[in-house]
Amino acid sequence: MNHPRIGFIGLGNVGASLAGNLLRHGVDLTVRDLDERRVADFVARGAKRADSPKAIAEAVDIIITCLPSPSATAAVMESEDGILAGLGAGKVWLEMSTTDADEVKRLAPLVEAKGATAMDCPVSGGCHRAATGNISIFAGGTRAAFERVLPTLKMLGCQILHTGALGSASVLKVMTNYLCTVHLVALTEALTTMKVVGMDMNTVYEAIRISSGNSFVHETESQVILNGSRDISFTMDLVIKDVGLFDRLAHELGVPVELSPLVLGIFRDGARRYGPRELSDNIIRRLEEACGVKVLGEGFPAQMVDDEPEAPGYEVVPRRGATTP
């Protein structure tokens, strides 16, 4: 499949950025989204539109879904005019949503019954990196399937990790989103405490950045927190979904986790106070309101923009062999 036709369903914050990368690479792209304005924007830039998931699956070689929840994916896949109704032999379904691994594994046999191939390929790194092609992609499925779609994945992201069997990528993705959320909650507590003690918040930001307390989350989300926009293009309901998937997995496995229930409770409280579609970084409001402060700095961006040049896509190979003492 040297020049596959690609279909993309789900033009949200991440999906639109990923699909935009395909357009930049000159891919024969067909799109679908419930928001007609998003579809019209892509059509104006050279994409085709499809009237149903079935139609898009019939028209392309690789069909990508990037949707907000497992139930949304199930509806797009299994409805009367869904993807399964349009799949045929030799086609590939790439699930790029952050979803339940068990749901991917439930749908995979239905895909394979059509003679098609299923893979879960969630992304990590934020919308700003998705827009430039500098995002990371986890890919779960057979090695043969991975190598088949690797050229397409390299157009979407720069670091591609084959994670093993189908569903493994989705497990790793909810784990990384859980870690991201733990970092975010810890940062909101640290930033608010420093504000209350009277520290200059720009100095606080740099102290964290150059220290052992630094993280990717700090270098991105702390900036939009200190700007006041709190806009990292992610919402509290999505945090609850992702951390909830991790928390459920841990409890099903009998792992006595302690942080994930606490973090989940914090965001459930935030959603009750401010609404489920409130920006996730506004979870700091709970602390600001309790302390009577506003945690702001100066000169920070309202939204993150990836200013690094687009890096060529490549496969990340896990380390193997003896550990050096």
Side-chain angles (χ1 to χ4, degrees):
M1 192 182 297
N2 294 324
H3 302 286
R5 300 164 297 172
I6 299 178
F8 205 106
I9 297 180
L11 302 175
N13 291 327
V14 174
S17 296
L18 295 172
N21 289 335
L22 295 173
L23 271 185
R24 289 194 295 109
H25 283 90
V27 166
D28 182 339
L29 181 67
T30 305
V31 299
R32 179 166 174 78
D33 192 272
L34 294 178
D35 188 336
E36 176 56 31
R37 294 172 299 176
R38 294 179 181 267
V39 174
D41 174 65
F42 271 84
V43 171
R45 290 188 278 154
K48 303 170 187 175
R49 65 158 43 87
D51 294 329
S52 68
K54 176 184 177 181
I56 202 171
E58 290 173 334
V60 303
D61 304 302
I62 297 175
I63 176 72
I64 298 172
T65 48
C66 189
L67 297 162
S69 67
S71 60
T73 295
V76 165
M77 293 293 290
E78 298 180 283
S79 62
E80 185 176 347
D81 62 350
I83 288 172
L84 288 169
L87 281 180
K91 295 179 183 287
V92 181
W93 168 51
L94 299 183
E95 168 63 302
M96 300 195 79
S97 317
T98 300
T99 191
D100 184 350
D102 288 338
E103 184 67 1
V104 173
K105 289 187 277 190
R106 181 187 73 82
L107 290 169
L110 305 179
V111 171
E112 292 162 1
K114 299 287 186 175
T117 300
M119 293 190 71
D120 56 328
C121 297
V123 301
S124 183
C127 290
H128 63 298
R129 288 186 177 270
T132 58
N134 286 331
I135 205 161
S136 299
I137 303 176
F138 302 151
T142 66
R143 183 70 201 184
F146 173 72
E147 291 180 357
R148 184 181 177 194
V149 301
L150 186 55
T152 296
L153 297 179
K154 286 180 177 180
M155 289 188 285
L156 292 164
C158 68
Q159 298 181 103
I160 321 297
L161 177 64
H162 181 224
T163 60
L166 184 78
S168 59
S170 293
V171 169
L172 288 170
K173 178 58 197 298
V174 298
M175 179 269 292
T176 62
N177 275 21
Y178 159 68
L179 288 173
C180 174
T181 307
V182 170
H183 293 183
L184 171 60
V185 170
L187 283 164
T188 63
E189 293 185 353
L191 293 173
T192 304
T193 301
M194 293 300 97
K195 177 66 177 181
V196 172
V197 84
M199 294 295 297
D200 171 76
M201 297 313 296
N202 287 59
T203 302
V204 171
Y205 175 85
E206 295 299 337
I208 298 172
R209 187 184 66 81
I210 66 172
S211 73
S212 58
N214 194 31
S215 68
F216 176 84
V217 179
H218 172 62
E219 292 194 8
T220 55
E221 301 196 39
S222 288
Q223 294 204 54
V224 296
I225 287 174
L226 293 171
N227 169 273
S229 76
R230 281 76 198 271
D231 187 1
I232 203 67
S233 300
F234 210 67
T235 51
M236 292 190 183
D237 58 339
L238 295 179
V239 172
I240 292 167
K241 183 258 293 184
D242 293 351
V243 178
L245 287 170
F246 174 84
D247 185 69
R248 189 183 75 190
L249 174 65
H251 281 94
E252 287 175 351
L253 295 170
V255 180
V257 290
E258 298 177 272
L259 284 179
S260 63
L262 288 173
V263 170
L264 196 54
I266 287 169
F267 271 89
R268 283 173 173 162
D269 180 63
R272 282 192 296 267
R273 294 186 189 208
Y274 314 122
R277 299 299 294 167
E278 179 60 84
L279 294 166
S280 58
D281 284 357
N282 250 336
I283 198 67
I284 198 171
R285 283 180 60 188
R286 296 169 69 254
L287 299 173
E288 290 178 319
E289 291 169 359
C291 298
V293 298
K294 192 71 174 175
V295 180
L296 297 172
E298 298 178 7
F300 292 98
Q303 289 185 312
M304 293 305 302
V305 175
D306 185 15
D307 56 5
E308 297 181 10
E310 182 176 359
Y314 65 94
E315 180 182 356
V316 175
V317 180
R319 300 177 186 179
R320 305 290 183 195
T323 302
T324 302

